[in-house]
Every structure is written in C-alpha cells, then in structure tokens.
Amino acid sequence: MTSPLPVINIKAQSSHHALFLMLLAAVIFVITWLSSQHYPQKNQLVFIFIYLTSLVIFITGLAKYIQPQFSLTLSPKGMIYQHNSGYWRLDWRQVQRIALVKESYGITQLHLPYIGIKLVDFSELAKQISPRLANRLIHEQRPLIAMAIKLQLLNFEQSQLNFEPYILSCGKEVKGPLAAFLHHSAVLYRAFGYHLYIPESALDRELSEFEQLLTQCKSSSEQYR
C-alpha cells in the first residue's frame, strides 16, 4: 500500500499580480492628480482619460484579488474546484477519464484551453456543484459551445439553453439553473466527450503538466484504496 497523497493547492494564474495592479492604479492616479494641478484647463480631457484608465486597472486588480485563494485543491479523496461564484467537488472514484480537450479541424488538430473530465455517473454532479456556479459556468463555457458548432459537432438547435427539468439517473427531477447546467454539460459531453472542463486560466502550470498531475493523483488514490 502506498502512502496517502499530500494535499496540493493550486493558485490560478488569473489571480497573479493583483496587488501590483491595484498599486499601479493608485500611483497613476496620484501622479495624474498632482500633474493636473500644474497644467491648463485645456488638458482636462487627457487627465480624465488617464483617470479612467487607472480605474480600469484598479478594478482588474481588485477582481483578481477577490478570487478564492486557491482555484483547485487536490487531496487523497478527490478534488475541489473553487470559483468566485461557488464550487464543485469530486471524489476520484467518480472520475472515469482526464484528458486535454482536442479536436480535429480539417487536417489541423486544435488544442482547446481546457482539461476535460469524464464522470462515471454524471447525475452525481447535481449534488456536488453549487447552483450559483452551475449558472455561471453556462455563460463562461459559451465559447466551447461556439467551437462545437464551428467544428460541426453540434447544430444551432442543440446549442440553445434548455431550462426544462433534468431527470437524474435515480429518477429525481432537478429544476432551475442546476437543471440548465446539467443539460448544458450533457450537450458538451455529446460534442467533446467530457462532463466538466477546467479552464487553463484556473491553473498554475501548463495544461499538459496539470493533466499529468491529475492522472497521477487519481492513479495514486486507487492504489492507496
């Protein structure tokens, strides 16, 4: 029996440089304000533009700063994905396949900026994702739907949001945003073969490296059990 896996925390690339951006915005604002005291009124439009630019930089930094400390936590039991809008969690036993999302377009192989996860029982996800995140992912993953249409993996009708109740494998009926997300994920599974998608922006390393890490974690957890 091997030793249990350590807990591995992943910090998203998109959260990097948050404090730097907020500080940069503050410095630009102060310098612009001091400069505006010594220049004639005709330059006010220039100063307003710089003020607005510093505000955009500050908001960008603040958006990065308020993200969860870790985007993913890998443990001996499974993984937790954390987002501003909520979370999903999986046990390793629920994961059937982990792979880079790739598709052929003519003679070209496209590498999409996601890691795909195929589940053993998709219905289990209904109990392991927060409704707010489910609703958010529908919108964040629209580029995947658009790519599936472009690659002719889906038609336009299949790509439309479905707000009908979703029937789980146990026979239970799910309604609302969660049902819409389950329909959405089923459509993406039909197109690409995966139920869940981890975006590259949520990772701290190259997609291929992280795919190998997840595969190793799943393999190690099976050996430990």
Side-chain angles (χ1 to χ4, degrees), residues 143-163:
L144 274 172
I145 295 289
M147 179 59 71
I149 295 173
K150 181 178 180 180
L151 297 175
Q152 299 182 338
L153 302 173
L154 296 174
N155 58 42
F156 183 74
E157 183 179 351
Q158 291 171 320
S159 71
Q160 299 305 296
L161 288 178
N162 186 346
F163 293 100

Side-chain angles (χ1 to χ4, degrees), residues 169-217:
S169 59
C170 63
K172 181 181 177 182
E173 186 179 87
V174 177
K175 298 180 180 180
L178 185 54
F181 171 73
L182 294 174
H183 284 298
H184 165 84
S185 295
V187 167
L188 286 177
Y189 174 73
R190 186 180 305 130
F192 298 110
Y194 305 99
H195 299 106
L196 284 173
Y197 298 81
I198 301 176
E200 186 175 30
S201 59
L203 309 181
D204 61 358
R205 63 199 75 189
E206 295 293 327
L207 278 170
S208 57
E209 292 181 32
F210 196 75
E211 183 263 340
Q212 292 174 8
L213 174 62
L214 288 182
T215 301
Q216 290 169 359
C217 288

Side-chain angles (χ1 to χ4, degrees), residues 6 12 24 46 56 65 114-115 118 121-122 125 131 135 143 166 180 183 189 195 213 218 225:
L24 176 63
V46 175
V56 170
Y65 184 76
Y114 297 90
I115 289 176
K118 181 180 178 181
D121 183 0
F122 177 51
L125 183 60
N135 184 60
Y166 188 93
H183 284 298
Y189 174 73
H195 299 106
L213 174 62
K218 175 174 167 51
R225 289 200 301 268

Side-chain angles (χ1 to χ4, degrees), residues 28-175:
I28 292 174
F29 183 90
V30 171
I31 292 175
T32 303
W33 183 82
L34 292 175
S35 299
S36 68
Q37 309 304 306
H38 304 287
Y39 285 86
Q41 190 70 21
K42 64 180 181 180
N43 290 321
Q44 288 306 304
L45 285 177
V46 175
F47 293 128
I48 290 173
F49 174 77
I50 297 175
Y51 285 139
L52 291 175
T53 301
S54 66
L55 178 61
V56 170
I57 294 173
F58 182 84
I59 292 174
T60 301
L62 181 61
K64 290 173 174 286
Y65 184 76
I66 64 176
Q67 288 185 11
Q69 182 180 9
F70 302 113
S71 58
L72 280 150
T73 297
L74 312 178
S75 72
K77 185 176 181 181
M79 71 176 89
I80 300 175
Y81 175 74
Q82 299 181 79
H83 186 283
N84 283 343
S85 298
Y87 69 92
W88 55 251
R89 66 179 187 275
L90 293 174
D91 290 346
W92 293 117
R93 61 178 176 79
Q94 295 176 260
V95 178
Q96 183 173 339
R97 185 185 178 208
I98 301 166
L100 303 177
V101 182
K102 298 181 287 186
E103 284 295 330
S104 297
Y105 185 57
I107 62 173
T108 304
Q109 188 173 60
L110 299 177
H111 295 258
L112 304 185
Y114 297 90
I115 289 176
I117 299 176
K118 181 180 178 181
L119 303 179
V120 174
D121 183 0
F122 177 51
S123 291
E124 288 292 313
L125 183 60
K127 299 181 292 187
Q128 295 172 287
I129 183 170
S130 61
R132 284 184 63 236
L133 178 58
N135 184 60
R136 180 65 180 174
L137 289 181
I138 293 173
H139 302 286
E140 287 191 358
Q141 293 176 351
R142 293 307 294 177
L144 274 172
I145 295 289
M147 179 59 71
I149 295 173
K150 181 178 180 180
L151 297 175
Q152 299 182 338
L153 302 173
L154 296 174
N155 58 42
F156 183 74
E157 183 179 351
Q158 291 171 320
S159 71
Q160 299 305 296
L161 288 178
N162 186 346
F163 293 100
E164 295 293 322
Y166 188 93
I167 308 300
L168 302 178
S169 59
C170 63
K172 181 181 177 182
E173 186 179 87
V174 177
K175 298 180 180 180

Side-chain angles (χ1 to χ4, degrees), residues 10-27:
I10 305 298
K11 191 174 180 65
Q13 293 178 4
S14 58
S15 66
H16 294 175
H17 312 304
L19 292 176
F20 170 76
L21 289 174
M22 288 191 288
L23 179 60
L24 176 63
V27 170

